[in-house]
Amino acid sequence: MTGRRGPGTTNSRCPACRTPTLTQWVGDRAALRITADPTPLTPAEQDKVRTPNRLIWCLVQNRHGAPRLRWISRWHPPNCPHPHVTEHHCTAEPTTLF
């Protein structure tokens, strides 16, 4: 597979609003490049921000590696011990004139 470097994680900031973000490829077969807000969400916050176009991700952190985003599928345990985050949606006003 060309153009993909593995499950690497990039901690950076949104260029428009300067919010800290976490960017990485998620998935093994049909990967998506996800930019997520690293702030954990409570279950009530997850229900509020979840839409068909804004998914919730499981943020798995271990002692020896970088945090990894994982799909939340129907097999995801309801009592998952990992924090859950959502895709970053920038709140900054556009700076272009057109």
Side-chain angles (χ1 to χ4, degrees), residues 1-96:
M1 184 181 297
T2 60
R4 186 165 169 226
R5 290 192 216 165
T9 301
T10 303
N11 293 321
S12 61
R13 292 189 177 271
C14 173
C17 67
R18 306 301 301 158
T19 300
T21 60
L22 177 74
T23 302
Q24 70 179 232
W25 289 98
V26 179
D28 295 324
R29 290 172 187 84
L32 296 173
R33 187 168 189 254
I34 302 298
T35 299
D37 285 322
T39 306
L41 300 172
T42 64
E45 292 171 328
Q46 292 175 41
D47 291 339
K48 184 178 176 184
V49 300
R50 181 183 288 121
T51 67
N53 294 323
R54 191 172 189 196
L55 301 176
I56 306 297
W57 303 93
C58 183
L59 183 62
V60 178
Q61 300 176 340
N62 62 30
R63 292 184 288 186
H64 305 294
R68 290 187 47 195
L69 294 170
R70 287 191 186 162
W71 292 96
I72 293 181
S73 65
R74 62 181 173 175
W75 299 284
H76 193 76
N79 57 347
C80 175
H82 303 110
H84 293 156
V85 298
T86 189
E87 183 180 358
H88 175 68
H89 279 199
C90 191
T91 57
E93 291 292 323
T95 57
T96 59

